[in-house]
Amino acid sequence: HQAVGRLIQTGQAKRLPGPTTLLCSRILRKMQSDEHVKREFERLCYCPDDMLSQDEKDMYRAVMRQCSVLLYHMGEHLASKTALQMIEPDPTPAYRFVSRISMNGFTITTSESYPIGTGMYPRASMINHSCRPNAVQTFWFDKEDADPPNMPKLQITTCRSVKAGEEITISYCDNSCPRKNRQNELWEGYKFHCNCDWCERSDVDAATVGLRCKTPGCVGEVVSLPPEEYTFMGPQNVTSNRLSGSDTKQCKMICDTCGCTDFEEAIKSRTRVMDRIEKIGASFANDNTDGEQLQTFGRELSNYYEACKNLCHVGTSWYVAWAADSFVNWCASSLPYCKDESERVETCRKALTVIQESRGAMEFCMNFPGNLRWSSHHLGVEAKMRLFVNPMDGNGVVILKKARNEMLKFYPPWDDFVKAMEKSIEVYSLPC
């Protein structure tokens, strides 16, 4: 922290180093004195240079330069020199070093799904991906009175029944989203295309996308064309430890009733909406919005949710669920900015209306094992809204208990979020 402060004071850094830079610096430091750390790290897979984009190469070089400067100001001159030698004259070592972290690192999150850093857990990084995993990764933090406090512990917990001898798998992405989204995220982060059994289920993917037929009066279901009519694209025969290659299948959509296949404009509109929702979510995460901006974002998110309802079915579509959840989270974030109690109650009512409208899509997403966003976080927010509007709402307490019980499957009872739910259950269960 002192080294980072000096960097900012001297103008050599305008902002705090990112989690990747900090983790790279820690690993470089440990590798100088611990041969075991070096061996374990170098065993991990990395991305071949020819599979990295130019933007990724530029970013990886920038990370190593930041590491060199940070380590120098920490007095770790040997580690600083090592970081610089990875860039010049040949940057290949830098590409491999940073890609080992991007491909094997875990984003450390709180039980409320807020990212707080990046960590390396070499043994756990060997666990393979599945879009239908049987386990989920969570992070446990020490109790408040722990002395000294330890680093977050990575906990792998099964989320469905596992047969003897069955491989343990986790999901590297949001496994409730449509196949195309999963494939894009996996390729960008891990450089492989998934060909698991779940990715072959075109019927499930069509429901997850949930496009409405654009033909007036048609109530048919828009489905994917049969696998033999898919077009193939993407690199082949990619092999490197955790990498596994196969062709990416680009789905084509058709209405099973009227035969319409003209969904290009609808897909483009949906993409624009989701891109904007993602940018608004990033502004929330960076905590760089004021009350006026927050109100503007709220109006936008409400409009985007309505747009998703018009484009997709509210019963199953992940896009509807995501747009609804984004608006509901905005409602929760905006409560402190409301001018009075009546405005807070009205905001909660708007959120509850959206939750009720999109409940089918939300529950569809909850049926995907290994995804805690829908099964615990969303339930907790709904309970909070219901009890704010009506502290005597018995269903609100029932939902809160359900969320608490779901959380306890994956988090310890001393977790801050779990304790907060326990306190709320106690308060709202008291007789008047």
Side-chain angles (χ1 to χ4, degrees):
H1 292 292
Q2 292 176 347
V4 171
R6 286 196 296 271
L7 286 175
I8 295 176
Q9 289 176 357
T10 58
Q12 296 185 64
K14 295 182 179 180
R15 57 181 181 273
L16 294 174
T20 302
T21 299
L22 293 174
L23 182 56
C24 281
S25 299
R26 291 193 188 100
I27 294 172
L28 282 166
R29 283 181 65 197
K30 289 188 176 182
M31 287 174 66
Q32 306 307 313
S33 57
D34 193 330
E35 191 64 30
H36 174 72
V37 170
K38 183 178 180 180
R39 284 197 306 271
E40 285 291 300
F41 184 74
E42 291 180 346
R43 285 179 56 208
L44 300 174
C45 69
Y46 58 84
C47 180
D49 304 353
D50 58 355
M51 294 176 66
L52 292 172
S53 68
Q54 190 57 51
D55 286 344
E56 287 173 319
K57 290 180 179 180
D58 293 343
M59 181 180 68
Y60 289 177
R61 288 197 302 271
V63 166
M64 294 309 294
R65 288 194 186 95
Q66 293 167 4
C67 287
S68 179
V69 174
L70 177 59
L71 289 164
Y72 182 85
H73 281 268
M74 292 173 64
E76 300 286 345
H77 296 158
L78 182 57
S80 173
K81 184 179 178 180
T82 300
L84 207 55
Q85 289 172 340
M86 288 185 179
I87 307 171
E88 301 171 353
D90 177 15
T92 299
Y95 300 154
R96 295 181 178 180
F97 189 95
V98 183
S99 71
R100 279 190 173 98
I101 290 176
S102 64
M103 296 181 68
N104 297 280
F106 287 84
T107 299
I108 300 173
T109 58
T110 67
S111 51
E112 294 182 83
S113 301
Y114 295 128
I116 60 172
T118 304
M120 291 294 292
Y121 301 82
R123 291 185 180 180
S125 71
M126 298 298 175
I127 301 176
N128 282 322
H129 162 82
S130 173
C131 294
R132 195 72 168 171
N134 54 26
V136 63
Q137 65 273 28
T138 55
F139 295 89
W140 290 22
F141 299 84
D142 281 337
K143 297 180 181 179
E144 291 181 357
D145 57 354
D147 186 27
N150 295 311
M151 295 294 288
K153 298 179 178 65
L154 174 61
Q155 176 80 5
I156 303 295
T157 308
T158 56
C159 56
R160 59 181 175 86
S161 298
V162 180
K163 299 177 182 178
E166 181 181 351
E167 179 185 9
I168 297 296
T169 58
I170 59 176
S171 180
Y172 298 175
C173 61
D174 177 1
N175 65 319
S176 68
C177 68
R179 180 181 186 279
K180 182 179 179 181
N181 302 55
R182 300 197 305 271
Q183 295 287 5
N184 288 343
E185 188 174 345
L186 292 171
W187 178 256
E188 290 175 5
Y190 305 96
K191 298 296 186 279
F192 74 89
H193 295 300
C194 182
N195 58 358
C196 69
D197 292 342
W198 200 245
C199 284
E200 302 298 318
R201 292 283 303 276
S202 57
D203 56 330
V204 174
D205 195 58
T208 306
V209 173
L211 269 180
R212 292 182 183 274
C213 182
K214 61 178 291 185
T215 303
C218 181
V219 294
E221 182 179 358
V222 179
V223 298
S224 300
L225 288 172
E228 60 269 17
E229 297 184 36
Y230 288 165
T231 57
F232 293 86
M233 56 184 288
Q236 301 181 26
N237 303 320
V238 179
T239 56
S240 175
N241 194 6
R242 192 168 174 174
L243 301 174
S244 63
S246 66
D247 298 324
T248 298
K249 297 178 179 177
Q250 184 68 30
C251 296
K252 298 292 184 181
M253 312 303 290
I254 183 172
C255 176
D256 64 357
T257 301
C258 70
C260 176
T261 58
D262 184 16
F263 296 102
E264 184 176 351
E265 189 54 43
I267 292 172
K268 287 181 179 178
S269 297
R270 187 193 62 205
T271 301
R272 288 193 293 269
V273 166
M274 300 310 291
D275 285 347
R276 183 57 187 154
I277 289 176
E278 202 168 301
K279 289 179 181 177
I280 292 175
S283 296
F284 284 172
N286 294 332
D287 197 26
N288 57 358
T289 56
D290 55 30
E292 186 175 342
Q293 284 179 309
L294 204 61
Q295 292 302 315
T296 301
F297 287 159
R299 289 190 290 270
E300 283 191 74
L301 289 172
S302 178
N303 291 336
Y304 293 146
Y305 165 66
E306 293 297 328
C308 279
K309 282 200 304 179
N310 291 331
L311 291 168
C312 304
H313 291 289
V314 297
T316 61
S317 176
W318 175 85
Y319 295 102
V320 172
W322 185 265
D325 193 57
S326 298
F327 177 74
V328 170
N329 284 334
W330 169 83
C331 290
S333 300
S334 68
L335 291 179
Y337 295 90
C338 294
K339 62 179 183 289
D340 53 35
E341 187 76 4
S342 62
E343 185 176 333
R344 282 189 283 274
V345 170
E346 181 59 27
T347 299
C348 289
R349 290 188 188 279
K350 289 179 181 177
L352 290 172
T353 298
V354 169
I355 288 172
Q356 186 59 37
E357 289 177 349
S358 61
R359 190 174 299 281
M362 296 279 192
E363 290 180 351
F364 186 80
C365 291
M366 287 182 193
N367 289 330
F368 290 84
N371 193 322
L372 301 185
R373 175 185 178 89
W374 305 107
S375 59
S376 55
H377 173 68
H378 176 74
L379 287 174
V381 172
E382 180 181 358
K384 173 183 177 181
M385 295 293 180
R386 294 182 70 120
L387 293 169
F388 192 93
V389 172
N390 178 14
M392 302 300 295
D393 187 342
N395 287 331
V397 177
V398 170
I399 294 171
L400 194 58
K401 288 180 178 179
K402 183 178 179 181
R404 184 271 316 273
N405 293 340
E406 190 68 23
M407 291 289 292
L408 284 173
K409 295 178 183 177
F410 305 100
Y411 291 96
W414 63 80
D415 178 84
D416 288 342
F417 191 39
V418 173
K419 288 197 300 183
M421 285 194 288
E422 292 281 10
K423 183 64 177 177
S424 296
I425 291 170
E426 179 184 342
V427 169
Y428 285 109
S429 299
L430 290 175
C432 295

